[in-house]
Amino acid sequence: MTTWPLPPGSTIGILGGGQLGRMLALAAARLGFDVAILEPERDSPAARVAAHSVVAAYDDPKGLAKLARLSDVITCEFENVPAAAVERLRELGAEVAPGARALAVAQDRLAEKTFLNENGVPTVAFAAADSAESAEAAVAQIGAPALMKTRREGYDGKGQRWVEHAAGAAEVFRALGGVPVIVEAQANFVRELSVIAARGRDGALRIYPLAENHHAAGVLRRSLAPARAAPAILDQAERIAAQILTGLDYVGVIGVELFEVEGGILLVNEIAPRVHNTGHWTQDGCEVDQFEQHIRAVAGWPLGPTDAIRAVEMLNLLGEEALEWPRYAAEPESRVHLYGKRQIKPGRKMGHVNRLRGL
Ligand code: AMP
């Protein structure tokens, strides 16, 4: 039986070896923990800063058994970990946080929006479809233009296309691979916001200030935080975060992407059961950042304060933009965070810069 809080010297297992795993591992090390990374690719950004590395597919029984043996608690840095892998880890007696339910909800856009609405959290109108005919009916019901998204495996704007007229729905359905989809009403948002929040093993909640996010081609380019927002918006964001975290009986940090629509109303676009790109500003803007907060939560430690000590403009460095690190490093107001990826590829997230601003 694991007893909480986990003492320093314990090992935190992480499913996934990307930049989020790397920054989680660095935060864990600062609190005296060792980290074990399970990731299919060799030489991953996270494995290179971790005490233990297991190179195996997420569904490889031997790899999962090794991770379970090494770890006192296991978490994940991306949400598309196969549900069967988490089940296997549980069967092996491992503690996994966040749990299977949070992953199941976040992995399927239909389950996610259904969960949100059932818990009193508003979203755009949506309808599910699993054939060309039902896709047409879904668009007719929701109204065009509508956004068709694959139920599973979409991220950074991938796996989604606009349908301009109901008559075009079947073609878009086929272009998306003929897999189950949801059709969403267009959100006429004024801006995109996000809230990062945490829930501890004792049920305590901590909510960070809002970030205002700017995307290009579905990928986050820039976040400004704390976002200026009316008190009514802040109240809605806090209520939404609390409803999601308690509704999922969640342990850890969650990222919630929001649309602010006319009239000062927030709708949830999606939830990420992990630390989130729009929370990177907390590394230089908050007393305790999202990475340390997540480690605290899964290790059963008390959560830390989430107040902003500074305003931050976070810029993602995509592809060759990472080559501009000397320029950012020379700016006294900029903090450079690079992920140690060996190869630059167009659009690949290579690092980010937090530019400090006065509050
Ligand atoms: P997602 O992959 O769901 O996070 O969507 C990526 C981006 O597409 C969002 O950040 C929005 O800019 C845009 N988007 C997603 N859903 C909608 C929607 N229902 N209406 C308008 N824009 C959307």
Side-chain angles (χ1 to χ4, degrees):
M1 267 300 275
T2 315
T3 52
W4 312 105
L6 277 187
S10 306
T11 299
I12 303 206
I14 302 178
L15 292 160
Q19 65 268 17
L20 300 179
R22 180 178 173 104
M23 291 184 277
L24 284 169
L26 293 171
R30 213 167 49 224
L31 300 182
F33 294 113
D34 277 349
V35 166
I37 299 291
L38 184 140
E39 148 75 42
E41 291 198 16
R42 238 163 244 297
D43 201 33
S44 67
R48 297 214 308 284
V49 300
H52 309 278
S53 159
V54 182
V55 179
Y58 295 115
D59 55 2
D60 173 41
K62 275 201 193 137
L64 291 168
K66 186 162 182 207
L67 185 72
R69 234 181 4 257
L70 284 166
S71 310
D72 296 289
V73 66
I74 297 174
T75 187
C76 53
E77 63 121 39
F78 84 124
E79 59 272 42
N80 287 324
V81 173
V86 174
E87 232 163 81
R88 182 89 199 107
L89 290 170
R90 300 295 284 259
E91 285 163 13
L92 292 165
E95 289 282 346
V96 186
R101 171 148 162 73
L103 290 178
V105 164
Q107 283 176 357
D108 178 348
R109 292 182 191 275
L110 179 61
E112 180 178 57
K113 287 208 159 53
T114 306
F115 160 80
L116 290 167
N117 288 180
E118 282 175 2
N119 283 270
V121 176
T123 63
V124 292
F126 63 95
D130 56 8
S131 65
E133 298 74 48
S134 56
E136 256 175 48
V139 176
Q141 180 195 330
I142 295 299
L147 193 50
M148 197 182 291
K149 300 180 177 178
T150 58
R151 276 175 58 176
R152 296 184 161 273
E153 309 250 311
Y155 68 96
D156 284 351
K158 294 190 176 71
Q160 54 180 267
R161 290 210 188 175
W162 284 100
V163 186
E164 300 300 336
H165 312 281
E171 194 188 323
V172 174
F173 176 78
R174 281 189 285 270
L176 287 173
V179 294
V181 295
I182 67 166
V183 172
E184 294 185 7
Q186 178 171 26
N188 289 316
F189 54 82
V190 198
R191 58 179 176 160
E192 293 191 73
L193 298 167
S194 60
V195 59
I196 308 294
R199 185 165 176 272
R201 288 200 180 268
D202 59 356
L205 299 175
R206 288 282 187 285
I207 300 169
Y208 286 93
L210 285 171
E212 178 181 318
N213 306 312
H214 299 265
H215 299 82
V219 180
L220 181 70
R221 298 309 328 250
R222 201 162 79 97
S223 292
L224 299 166
R228 288 187 196 287
I233 293 281
L234 298 175
D235 286 350
Q236 286 175 63
E238 286 197 7
R239 194 179 52 83
I240 286 171
Q243 272 163 317
I244 294 172
L245 288 169
T246 31
L248 291 173
D249 194 20
Y250 196 86
V251 172
V253 163
I254 201 165
V256 183
E257 296 179 15
L258 302 162
F259 297 133
E260 180 182 338
V261 297
E262 285 300 335
I265 305 285
L266 293 183
L267 304 177
V268 171
N269 174 32
E270 67 177 358
I271 56 186
R274 54 171 168 78
V275 287
H276 196 250
N277 197 167
T278 66
H280 290 359
W281 72 275
T282 61
Q283 289 173 308
D284 299 291
C286 291
E287 299 192 34
V288 170
D289 71 27
Q290 63 166 348
F291 301 100
E292 176 175 334
Q293 196 75 276
H294 185 72
I295 299 296
R296 283 177 178 238
V298 301
W301 284 31
L303 299 183
T306 47
D307 306 309
I309 46 175
R310 295 192 193 91
V312 172
E313 177 189 23
M314 192 281 315
L315 303 173
N316 265 347
L317 299 177
L318 303 182
E320 302 219 321
E321 288 164 7
L323 299 174
E324 290 175 47
W325 65 265
R327 173 163 76 83
Y328 292 115
E331 291 176 359
E333 75 279 20
S334 291
R335 300 290 173 274
V336 180
H337 300 259
L338 297 169
Y339 308 150
K341 295 187 181 175
R342 302 280 195 210
Q343 229 191 331
I344 294 184
K345 290 185 196 158
R348 189 176 199 197
K349 288 179 179 167
M350 303 298 296
H352 64 274
V353 175
N354 281 335
R355 281 192 158 140
L356 314 182
R357 306 273 188 244
L359 258 187

